[in-house]
Amino acid sequence: TAYRIHAPVNANEYDKNRILNELESLENGILQIDDEAALENVIDVDSWALKYIVDDIFANSDAGARSHFIYFLQGKAYAGPVWDYDLSMGNRNAWQFESPRAYLTERLVVSDGFYCQLYHALSQNSVFMNRVAEIYETEIVPLMEELITEQVDCYAIQVLQAGAADQHRWNVSQDVMGEVDKIRKFLQERVVFRSSIWLEKK
């Protein structure tokens, strides 16, 4: 997997070697760990589970492969913050991303050839996936319900003027509220699909 170092900005050889060692430990820990519970020694399980859920629920086509921040703290790798979700919620011209019933985070390779080995390996780890299901059920499902029933409309009102300006600037005709309805429907179906797998074990 290719990584870009964002901090320190002017990394010297010492910094690069230190970060390289941390990344090697991260990859080896996730890809080669036999004792699934030992995963907690390598990553902050909750931050990775949350990032995994957010990437999956919003159907981020870059999930686990690109635009994926990682930082290290006291020997553990943390996932986040979330960033760059332009190609999400069905906004990509490919069937597997337009479908709310697609498997995304379990992939080994994204459609343009980038590896997402870490997410793929984590999806095979029962300890990690049990934590994903717990966080999803207790924290994410109530938030998604609020987002779908209330917040989507609030956000839509905030971007109406920007949407009109965007259409004028790029000379396109698009029903902004129609797009909002598509997003709401996509997220509704996505939550039903993921709940059936993560919670109902279908």
Side-chain angles (χ1 to χ4, degrees):
T1 303
Y3 296 94
R4 176 178 292 137
I5 299 172
H6 287 273
V9 175
N10 297 310
N12 57 32
E13 284 305 309
Y14 171 80
D15 293 323
K16 289 177 185 175
N17 288 332
R18 175 179 54 81
I19 292 167
L20 179 63
N21 287 334
E22 288 176 325
L23 289 168
E24 270 191 75
S25 296
L26 167 65
E27 289 192 344
N28 291 339
I30 290 178
L31 297 173
Q32 299 173 12
I33 250 172
D34 292 326
D35 176 10
E36 292 183 331
L39 191 64
E40 295 178 350
N41 298 324
V42 179
I43 65 171
D44 176 72
V45 173
D46 281 9
S47 73
W48 281 83
L50 278 165
K51 180 73 166 60
Y52 185 96
I53 294 166
V54 170
D55 276 343
D56 195 279
I57 285 295
F58 289 94
N60 178 19
S61 67
D62 289 336
R66 293 172 298 185
S67 302
H68 182 92
F69 279 111
I70 299 169
Y71 65 94
F72 293 90
L73 192 62
Q74 297 178 338
K76 280 190 182 183
Y78 289 71
V82 295
W83 177 69
D84 190 16
Y85 281 65
D86 58 333
L87 299 176
S88 65
M89 295 180 282
N91 185 33
R92 179 154 182 190
N93 190 23
W95 70 266
Q96 66 266 48
F97 300 113
E98 291 175 346
S99 170
R101 297 180 57 81
Y103 284 86
L104 294 175
T105 42
E106 294 89 337
R107 298 169 301 167
L108 182 57
V109 182
V110 297
S111 58
D112 46 10
F114 283 83
Y115 286 105
C116 40
Q117 292 171 302
L118 300 186
Y119 267 2
H120 177 73
L122 288 169
S123 74
Q124 313 302 308
N125 185 301
S126 62
V127 171
F128 181 78
M129 291 310 296
N130 286 339
R131 189 64 183 133
V132 164
E134 288 170 9
I135 292 174
Y136 174 72
E137 183 173 24
T138 58
E139 298 180 36
I140 303 303
V141 170
L143 288 174
M144 290 305 297
E145 186 177 328
E146 181 184 348
L147 175 66
I148 291 165
T149 58
E150 300 173 26
Q151 293 301 318
V152 165
D153 288 326
C154 295
Y155 292 134
I157 291 165
Q158 292 176 30
V159 301
L160 272 175
Q161 284 186 326
D166 192 62
Q167 290 179 60
H168 179 73
R169 168 65 180 85
W170 298 106
N171 193 27
V172 294
S173 177
Q174 200 167 43
D175 176 13
V176 175
M177 293 311 292
E179 292 298 305
V180 170
D181 288 337
K182 277 168 48 177
I183 287 172
R184 186 192 339 272
K185 185 172 184 291
F186 184 93
L187 291 176
Q188 284 172 330
E189 291 185 31
R190 190 83 187 144
V191 169
V192 169
F193 174 59
R194 272 335 205 163
S195 293
S196 73
I197 294 166
W198 288 338
L199 303 184
E200 299 165 33
K201 307 299 182 189
K202 291 184 179 177

